[in-house]
Amino acid sequence: MVLPPFKTMSARRREKQEEKAAVAARREPGVVVPGDGHRAESSDRTLTPNYASDLVDPRRATRTRKNWILLSCFCFFVSVIFIILVEIGNLSNRPVLRSTYFFKLNLSNIIPVSTPDDIVFVNSLARSLGLHDFYQVGLWGVCEGYNNEGITYCSTPQTLFWFNPVEILLSELFAGATIPLPSKINDILSLIRIISHLMSGFFLTGVCMNFVSIFLAPITLYSRWWSLPFAIWTFIAALLTTAATIAATVMFIIFRDVATSQDSLNIGASVGTQMYALMWVGAVFSIFGFLIHLLMSCCCASRRDVRTARRRGSKKAYSGHVSEKQTSRKRWNSRSLFRRKSSADV
């Protein structure tokens, strides 16, 4: 029978104290206990910054996304302002509106085929025949006037308006007077009517959608899931605005070329540079707003991303943020502090 080794009370008390000290050392983070390898690894992990567990300021973390949203709202606002100027252009004889038109037809020097017997020659041939010197075309109506007086009359705004030069000119000619018009104008009248109707609807719908987008854009700050349907919404607005701009540009350039195709008639025609600039600036800013939200559907952390730790956003928003250089320095100091010192170090 083997007897248990004899230990004094002081030796037993010393062993219990050593066991308690070892347990306490294992519970304390950053302390390396001999024979406990995984504890040393976990201590290194605790010294690295953990963004998910740190205190975070969601507003600062999503500041980049907020700035892009504000920029898109500015783009929508500029687009709305310029398209509204397109909508109200050529409605009345006012400083800005009278110089904003799609197309201007000049008949002051037109050569008539026949004239009435009691014709009285005045400043221009057109005025002698009962016509005005020029006709300006807008989105909702037409303005007419004389070269020495300016605009004298603007028609009442009309929905789905389209410019029919044959009907307008024939209604103003004196009895017995006849003027020649290029034969190609009659061929493109149906095209002008269709494009004018589409253009009016597209501009009106596009400006309304861009106006609503100014107030709906902030919802994309809270979740990237809102960016995709909102990007589709802004794409439709940009598509309508751009399509109307392209249609107006092509249609009135074709009409200008057709009206001036016969030099012998002395018919002048020009497109409105100011109107074209307003249209294209509004369309470009609408496209910019759409592209911003299209990119934000996959970029820039939202409030929901930060809250669910899917994306961190700005690192400056985290209270426990430290640089890599500071992290490596802390690791080196902790290892040198808690490693067992040799007799040479002592």
Side-chain angles (χ1 to χ4, degrees), residues 62 97 116 222 227 258:
T62 57
L97 303 184
Y222 299 96
S227 294
V258 171

Side-chain angles (χ1 to χ4, degrees), residues 313-333:
S314 177
K315 295 180 180 180
K316 297 180 180 179
Y318 293 84
S319 60
H321 172 68
V322 292
S323 62
E324 294 182 359
K325 186 175 180 180
Q326 294 174 345
T327 303
S328 60
R329 185 181 302 170
K330 285 184 178 181
R331 273 186 200 167
W332 185 85
N333 291 337

Side-chain angles (χ1 to χ4, degrees), residues 22 27-29 34 55 111 128 157 160 200 245 251 258 260-261 270 278 284 287 289 293 331-332:
R27 292 179 179 177
E28 184 178 353
L55 296 178
I111 299 176
S128 302
L160 300 179
S200 301
T245 301
M251 181 183 68
V258 171
T260 59
S261 59
S270 61
L278 294 175
V284 168
I287 293 174
H293 285 278
R331 273 186 200 167
W332 185 85

Side-chain angles (χ1 to χ4, degrees), residues 152-170:
T152 58
Y153 172 77
C154 288
S155 63
T156 305
Q158 179 183 356
T159 57
L160 300 179
F161 167 80
W162 68 285
F163 178 60
N164 188 349
V166 177
E167 180 182 353
I168 294 175
L169 297 181
L170 292 179

Side-chain angles (χ1 to χ4, degrees), residues 217-235:
I219 65 174
T220 59
L221 176 65
Y222 299 96
S223 176
R224 282 186 298 117
W225 287 105
W226 286 104
S227 294
L228 183 58
F230 190 74
I232 297 175
W233 169 271
T234 55
F235 169 74

Side-chain angles (χ1 to χ4, degrees), residues 65-325:
R65 189 177 185 86
K66 181 180 179 181
N67 292 338
W68 282 108
I69 291 175
L70 292 178
L71 180 60
S72 69
C73 291
F74 173 76
C75 292
F76 295 137
F77 176 76
V78 173
S79 178
V80 168
I81 294 299
F82 278 78
I83 299 301
I84 287 178
L85 292 177
V86 173
E87 297 274 351
I88 65 176
N90 203 62
L91 286 181
S92 62
N93 187 16
R94 294 186 179 181
V96 178
L97 303 184
R98 62 168 166 254
S99 58
T100 306
Y101 55 87
F102 289 107
F103 179 80
K104 185 175 183 179
L105 185 65
N106 189 357
L107 302 177
S108 58
N109 298 320
I110 191 172
I111 299 176
V113 175
S114 62
T115 58
D117 297 333
D118 56 347
I119 184 174
V120 178
F121 290 96
V122 287
N123 294 336
S124 63
L125 290 174
R127 185 180 297 191
S128 302
L129 300 174
L131 301 176
H132 291 76
D133 290 341
F134 63 86
Y135 298 85
Q136 292 181 179
V137 182
L139 193 63
W140 307 108
V142 60
C143 292
E144 53 192 21
Y146 303 104
N147 294 331
N148 59 344
E149 298 179 12
I151 295 177
T152 58
Y153 172 77
C154 288
S155 63
T156 305
Q158 179 183 356
T159 57
L160 300 179
F161 167 80
W162 68 285
F163 178 60
N164 188 349
V166 177
E167 180 182 353
I168 294 175
L169 297 181
L170 292 179
S171 64
E172 294 185 354
L173 276 174
F174 289 148
T178 306
I179 61 172
L181 290 176
S183 59
K184 295 181 180 179
I185 290 183
N186 293 322
D187 300 335
I188 63 173
L189 286 181
S190 58
L191 179 64
I192 293 175
R193 183 180 68 255
I194 295 173
I195 295 180
S196 297
H197 292 173
L198 292 177
M199 184 176 62
S200 301
F202 285 179
F203 270 131
L204 186 60
T205 307
V207 71
C208 292
M209 294 181 69
N210 283 330
F211 179 76
V212 175
S213 298
I214 298 174
F215 304 97
L216 291 182
I219 65 174
T220 59
L221 176 65
Y222 299 96
S223 176
R224 282 186 298 117
W225 287 105
W226 286 104
S227 294
L228 183 58
F230 190 74
I232 297 175
W233 169 271
T234 55
F235 169 74
I236 296 174
L239 178 63
L240 294 176
T241 306
T242 307
T245 301
I246 295 175
T249 304
V250 174
M251 181 183 68
F252 288 110
I253 288 178
I254 293 175
F255 190 85
R256 180 198 61 185
D257 296 339
V258 171
T260 59
S261 59
Q262 298 181 17
D263 297 334
S264 59
L265 300 179
N266 286 338
I267 297 178
S270 61
V271 294
T273 306
Q274 182 170 320
M275 178 71 85
Y276 277 64
L278 294 175
M279 285 191 306
W280 281 105
V281 170
V284 168
F285 273 92
S286 182
I287 293 174
F288 282 164
F290 154 67
L291 292 178
I292 289 174
H293 285 278
L294 178 64
L295 295 177
M296 283 199 305
S297 61
C298 59
C299 303
C300 299
S302 63
R303 297 283 177 86
R304 184 173 181 270
D305 293 332
V306 175
R307 186 174 64 253
T308 58
R310 293 181 179 180
R311 294 192 178 188
R312 295 197 295 260
S314 177
K315 295 180 180 180
K316 297 180 180 179
Y318 293 84
S319 60
H321 172 68
V322 292
S323 62
E324 294 182 359
K325 186 175 180 180

